[in-house]
């Protein structure tokens, strides 16, 4: 595409010189010239032509002079570069034109070589301005897409609480706060059948869009596999194999997957490299589930995952979290740590689940005041409200 | 973070000083992975001066382990501080990576 240049002069000499001297550029489709005889006509031509990059204009013209034209150009076409042609030594007009937004000037009698340099310089400037404007538009588009991605990601984890209002035998509550627009954490829960509640929390290595995509795949795959009703260990083994085959660049995901039996409170679980959740006993005691589960998922093809068990008594709860909680930093670069988390959990004893989760999030926020959130913060908590295990026999 | 690279026989040793987080892990990846791709088969990572490792750091280790397993190579780690060991235990890495208390022990293993 040639650069379009508008020449504005009420006398024919400029047009004559341009057509002669820039023959080569026109022939080679490098430049295209449009000619106009005055300010009013120039504005009309600009509107018709649309994509003019550079305007070369005389100052003294009837109807609308060059200076008025420059002022209007600056207002209406901020990306366009204007060059004025003035009488030699006419410093007053040159200053006025530059102050009105002209990019440069040439003086009469026009020296062709100087005009050529000035035009090329103006063309370069105009095209770099155009590129900058294009980059900015692209950035705005990207930001918009990221915002859409953020909303999609927010909506793929369950957000309606309570999710099963008719069920009195358990409660569940969760929240996820990504550090950037999109994150790599996730949680999920679903009824496998009337007496088995599956629940899961996960954390993908890395951040941003790659982590978000891997998070969506992991979450979907886990749920689809879990709904087959497999024991948690077997479920993680299947998910691991598929993720391993699909994964690129050694991304991995930590997953804790548990099944609560809502009839007698037993929890079957398997841990693929995730921070061990806490058991919140009804009396306020906080117990850690065992460390030493399996490897993070998607790391090795044939990782094995054990299924372990513990029992929740009526009133007992579970607290699942990602390392964004324990590794939240304050401005002195200290971490929130598991110790502070346990203290916080003990302080929330007696609160309902929403109060518990929000209480912990608030404690993390107070701790890390003014320090930017470095990692996604995700919490899932549940409470067993059914019958005691012993009563079941 | 500082990386000191030395060679002992055919064993390439990388000593990490400071934090291996999402920022510094890219640098670490750039130093560790190319030599493995160029055919070095024995890698020793000295973590005795390493204060922190994030999941991004673990990812680089995993990448190295995968490449080495493809090329019949070997990797060993030594000198993990308790906080680092705990991260390895939680992530299940302790069962996958050979971890030694000291550098000479790790070297002996790699030279077998």
């Amino acid at each position: 595409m040639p650069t379009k240049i508008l020449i504005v002069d009420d006398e024919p000499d400029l047009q004559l010189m341009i057509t002669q001297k820039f023959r080569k550029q026109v022939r080679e489709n490098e430049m295209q010239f449009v000619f106009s005889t005055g300010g009013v006509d120039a504005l009309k031509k600009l509107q018709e032509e649309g994509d003019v990059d550079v305007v070369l204009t005389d100052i003294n013209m009837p109807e609308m002079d060059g200076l008025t034209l420059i002022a209007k150009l600056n207002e209406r076409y901020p990306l366009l570069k204007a060059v004025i042609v003035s009488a030699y030594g006419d410093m007053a007009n040159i200053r006025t034109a530059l102050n009105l937004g002209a990019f440069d000037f040439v003086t009469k009698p026009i020296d062709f070589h100087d005009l050529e340099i000035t035009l090329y310089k103006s063309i370069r400037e105009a095209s770099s301005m155009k590129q900058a404007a294009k980059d900015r538009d692209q950035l705005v588009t990207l930001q918009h897409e990221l915002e859409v991605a953020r909303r999609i990601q927010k909506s793929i984890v369950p957000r309606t609480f309570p999710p099963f209002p008719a069920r009195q035998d358990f409660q569940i509550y969760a929240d996820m706060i990504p550090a950037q627009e999109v994150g790599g954490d996730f949680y999920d829960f679903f009824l496998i059948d009337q007496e088995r509640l599956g629940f899961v929390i996960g954390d993908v290595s890395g951040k941003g869009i790659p982590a978000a995509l891997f998070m969506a795949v992991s979450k979907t795959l886990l749920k689809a596999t879990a709904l087959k009703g497999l024991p948690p260990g077997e479920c993680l083994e299947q998910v691991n194999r598929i993720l391993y085959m699909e994964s690129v660049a050694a991304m991995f995901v930590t997953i804790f997957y548990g099944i609560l039996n809502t009839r007698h409170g037993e929890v079957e679980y398997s841990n693929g490299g995730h921070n061990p959740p806490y058991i919140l006993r009804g009396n306020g005691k906080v117990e850690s589930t065992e460390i030493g589960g399996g490897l993070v998922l998607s790391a090795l093809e044939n990782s094995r995952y054990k299924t372990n068990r513990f029992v929740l008594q009526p009133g007992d709860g579970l607290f699942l979290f990602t390392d964004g909680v324990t590794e939240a930093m304050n401005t002195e670069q200290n971490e929130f740590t598991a110790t502070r988390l346990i203290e916080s959990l003990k302080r929330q004893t007696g609160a309902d689940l929403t109060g518990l989760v929000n209480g912990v999030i608030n404690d993390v926020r107070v701790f890390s005041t003014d320090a930017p959130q470095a990692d996604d913060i995700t919490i899932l908590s549940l409470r067993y409200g059914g019958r005691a295990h012993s009563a079941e026999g | 973070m500082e990386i000191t690279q030395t060679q002992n026989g055919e064993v390439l040793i990388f000593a990490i000083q400071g934090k291996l987080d999402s920022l510094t892990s890219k640098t670490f990846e750039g130093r560790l992975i190319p030599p493995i791709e160029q055919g070095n088969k024995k890698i020793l990572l000295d973590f005795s001066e390493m204060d922190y490792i994030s999941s991004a750091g673990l990812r680089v280790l995993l990448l190295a382990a995968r490449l080495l397993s493809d090329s019949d190579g070997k990797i060993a780690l030594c000198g993990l501080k308790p906080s680092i060991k705990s991260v390895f235990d939680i992530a299940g890495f302790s069962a996958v990576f050979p971890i030694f208390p000291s550098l000479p022990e790790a070297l002996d293993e790699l030279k077998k």
Side-chain angles (χ1 to χ4, degrees):
Chain A
M1 269 252 297
T3 307
K4 222 182 252 185
I5 300 162
L6 176 65
I7 309 293
V8 192
D9 193 3
D10 58 330
E11 285 159 38
D13 22 332
L14 199 52
Q15 173 163 0
L16 215 66
M17 175 181 191
I18 295 274
T19 358
Q20 276 179 2
K21 299 284 190 180
F22 288 94
R23 267 201 321 268
K24 188 163 159 276
Q25 283 88 338
V26 171
R27 201 172 52 233
E28 287 174 359
N29 214 24
E30 184 187 339
M31 294 180 184
Q32 183 189 337
F33 291 94
V34 181
F35 297 96
S36 167
T37 50
V40 176
D41 181 57
L43 289 174
K44 208 177 110 213
K45 288 248 161 65
L46 277 174
Q47 218 166 18
E48 288 165 8
E49 297 288 338
D51 49 357
V52 172
D53 291 321
V54 175
V55 173
L56 180 67
T57 179
D58 195 16
I59 291 187
N60 297 317
M61 295 178 296
E63 247 190 308
M64 183 193 287
D65 67 16
L67 295 177
T68 314
L69 175 64
I70 295 238
K72 291 204 186 292
L73 287 181
N74 203 31
E75 249 169 58
R76 295 184 203 174
Y77 305 94
L79 295 180
L80 190 152
K81 295 289 139 196
V83 176
I84 55 149
V85 183
S86 81
Y88 182 78
D90 185 5
M91 232 357 126
N93 271 331
I94 290 171
R95 287 301 318 155
T96 309
L98 291 178
N99 287 339
L100 286 171
F103 174 65
D104 206 346
F105 64 94
V106 289
T107 50
K108 283 181 194 167
I110 291 175
D111 171 64
F112 167 68
H113 184 61
D114 182 45
L115 175 64
E116 194 180 24
I117 292 174
T118 309
L119 274 188
Y120 274 114
K121 198 174 72 170
S122 311
I123 290 168
R124 270 199 309 276
E125 181 72 12
S127 75
S128 87
M129 291 275 287
K130 255 172 135 175
Q131 187 58 43
K134 217 164 116 187
D135 290 348
R136 198 187 50 223
D137 288 350
Q138 260 172 2
L139 200 64
V140 170
T141 310
L142 268 178
Q143 275 167 344
H144 175 71
E145 282 176 6
L146 216 52
E147 171 59 23
V148 175
R150 188 184 68 80
R151 269 184 276 144
I152 291 173
Q153 189 175 40
K154 255 187 126 160
S155 70
I156 60 176
V157 297
R159 288 273 172 185
T160 312
F161 297 102
F164 312 104
R167 301 292 296 247
Q168 302 299 315
D169 43 356
F170 68 86
Q171 294 147 19
I172 194 159
Y173 186 75
D175 200 2
M176 180 168 91
I177 308 156
Q180 301 173 359
E181 278 84 351
V182 292
D185 278 9
F186 67 93
Y187 64 82
D188 201 2
F189 46 79
F190 36 81
L191 284 166
I192 298 165
D193 52 38
Q194 273 313 297
E195 58 182 49
R196 286 190 295 167
L197 170 77
F199 57 95
V200 51
I201 191 161
D203 184 354
V204 169
S205 62
K207 289 194 187 68
I209 304 275
L213 288 172
F214 202 62
M215 163 269 184
V217 172
S218 305
K219 181 198 162 281
T220 311
L221 192 58
L222 190 284
K223 183 174 179 180
T225 312
L227 284 176
K228 293 195 273 186
L230 300 169
E234 247 175 81
C235 177
L236 289 195
E237 279 171 19
Q238 288 197 10
V239 170
N240 173 65
R241 259 194 299 276
I242 301 170
L243 282 181
Y244 178 84
M245 287 186 289
E246 305 289 323
S247 101
V248 286
M251 284 185 88
F252 61 79
V253 54
T254 71
I255 297 181
F256 181 99
Y257 169 48
I259 302 172
L260 168 71
N261 187 304
T262 59
R263 202 157 47 85
H264 51 60
E266 188 184 67
V267 173
E268 284 186 296
Y269 72 94
S270 188
N271 191 348
H274 196 83
N275 298 59
Y278 291 110
I279 300 169
L280 311 174
R281 296 299 180 190
N283 60 7
K285 241 182 91 191
V286 177
E287 293 172 16
S288 178
T289 53
E290 65 195 297
I291 299 184
L295 181 65
V296 298
L297 283 87
S298 186
L300 296 177
E301 188 173 5
N302 292 311
S303 303
R304 303 306 304 262
Y305 297 93
K306 280 184 297 187
T307 296
N308 292 315
R309 286 174 183 79
F310 56 81
V311 173
L312 295 181
Q313 299 299 330
D316 285 354
L318 258 183
F319 185 87
L320 289 71
F321 61 99
T322 57
D323 56 10
V325 175
T326 44
E327 291 179 13
M329 294 241 192
N330 64 11
T331 42
E332 281 90 51
Q333 302 287 301
N334 295 315
E335 289 183 2
F336 189 68
T337 67
T339 315
R340 282 199 188 84
L341 174 56
I342 292 170
E343 282 167 16
S344 172
L345 286 170
K346 285 182 176 161
R347 268 199 300 279
Q348 326 293 336
T349 306
D352 64 6
L353 286 186
T354 317
L356 169 80
V357 171
N358 290 335
V360 171
I361 290 175
N362 191 51
D363 282 351
V364 172
R365 286 223 164 108
V366 168
F367 173 79
S368 55
T369 317
D370 293 336
Q373 185 189 337
D375 200 359
D376 307 337
I377 290 177
T378 302
I379 294 175
L380 181 144
S381 190
L382 59 87
R383 188 166 281 158
Y384 176 56
R387 283 180 291 165
H389 191 252
S390 50
E392 198 59 34
Chain B
M1 182 204 56
E2 297 265 341
I3 305 170
T4 315
Q5 186 179 337
T6 50
Q7 182 122 23
N8 185 316
E10 46 175 350
V11 181
L12 212 51
I13 307 171
F14 293 87
I16 308 295
Q17 228 178 339
K19 288 184 165 189
L20 201 52
D21 54 23
S22 47
L23 215 68
T24 54
S25 290
K26 288 196 181 80
T27 315
F28 181 46
E29 182 173 346
R31 293 283 296 276
L32 176 66
I33 301 303
I36 298 174
E37 285 172 339
Q38 284 151 23
N40 284 281
K41 289 189 176 177
K42 296 190 173 183
I43 304 291
L44 201 168
L45 302 176
D46 180 358
F47 286 169
S48 54
E49 303 279 316
M50 187 171 77
D51 303 319
Y52 173 83
I53 186 163
S54 76
S55 67
L58 293 178
R59 193 192 71 87
V60 178
L61 298 190
L62 204 56
L63 196 60
R66 276 195 195 177
L67 289 170
L68 286 165
S69 115
D70 291 345
S71 67
D72 284 324
K74 264 169 134 180
I75 188 166
L77 279 46
C78 71
L80 277 66
K81 293 183 177 176
S83 59
I84 307 286
K85 181 67 169 54
S86 150
V87 171
F88 272 66
D89 288 344
I90 290 174
F93 275 50
S94 303
V96 177
F97 287 86
I99 298 172
F100 298 89
S102 71
L103 192 113
E105 290 162 273
L107 259 181
D108 281 351
E109 170 62 25
L110 284 174
K111 285 186 169 177
K112 266 183 199 166

